Amino acid sequence: MSDKVNIRRILTEAFSKGDTEVLDELMTEDFVNHNAPPGMDTSREGVKSVIKIERQGFPDLKAEIIRDFEDGEYVIQHVKLTGTHKGLVFGAEPTGRVISWNEIHIAKVRDGKVSDHWACNDLHVLMIQLGQIAPPDTSAFRRENAGA
């Protein structure tokens, strides 16, 4: 099994199904999440916490892999997450809305397990959908203003 196929299990089993124990199999003991929220554990236990927090807010959370590929010892994934906002998450009371956002994950693989993780998330899109921040003023980009 390729690293790419094996690493997909983090999204399909842990994030989408809530099986955080699979991370013990898929991540090294010295795993480091380089994009952990400030103050959060950067180990695989911290990732388990993130999954629990996200699934509390979005019990039907699904991670769809848009594209993934391997480059040497790295696996890169473009992921779309979707879930119904049914619980308190990121300070937002449940809205009942279906919410989605995108993420890019870069995983360094050692001996078939993830040893390091970096990510880029469009959390501003998530926070706008949750009503936690106001959408930006995009009026300057409207067609009628083009060339003004």
Side-chain angles (χ1 to χ4, degrees):
M1 181 181 306
S2 75
D3 287 336
K4 175 175 75 172
V5 172
N6 195 36
I7 301 311
R8 285 178 186 163
R9 294 178 56 209
I10 293 171
L11 296 168
T12 60
E13 295 177 32
F15 280 87
S16 292
K17 295 180 182 174
D19 178 10
T20 58
E21 297 310 308
V22 75
L23 300 181
D24 295 334
E25 177 186 338
L26 299 171
M27 295 176 167
T28 62
E29 286 190 29
D30 62 346
F31 167 85
V32 176
N33 181 4
H34 297 277
N35 288 100
M40 184 167 261
D41 183 350
T42 61
S43 73
R44 66 183 175 202
E45 293 304 314
V47 177
K48 290 178 183 181
S49 296
V50 168
I51 292 169
K52 289 175 185 172
I53 290 166
E54 288 183 355
R55 291 194 58 81
Q56 181 178 317
F58 307 101
D60 61 348
L61 184 69
K62 293 290 178 224
E64 174 189 0
I65 300 168
I66 306 298
R67 175 162 304 189
D68 59 351
F69 58 95
E70 295 179 55
D71 183 14
E73 61 189 359
Y74 295 91
V75 174
I76 298 93
Q77 300 170 316
H78 172 201
V79 180
K80 180 179 181 180
L81 290 113
T82 304
T84 308
H85 184 206
K86 293 186 175 182
L88 180 68
V89 66
F90 306 122
E93 294 291 334
T95 64
R97 288 184 284 201
V98 174
I99 295 183
S100 64
W101 66 99
N102 286 282
E103 299 179 346
I104 302 291
H105 296 275
I106 302 170
K108 184 176 182 183
V109 180
R110 184 176 73 229
D111 300 324
K113 295 183 177 188
V114 177
S115 64
D116 294 86
H117 171 263
W118 297 265
C120 294
N121 308 309
D122 63 359
L123 291 180
H124 62 286
V125 170
L126 171 61
M127 298 308 274
I128 289 169
Q129 292 176 79
L130 291 174
Q132 294 296 92
I133 61 174
D137 177 5
T138 59
S139 60
F141 298 106
R142 293 192 188 121
R143 188 173 290 248
E144 63 267 12
N145 290 334

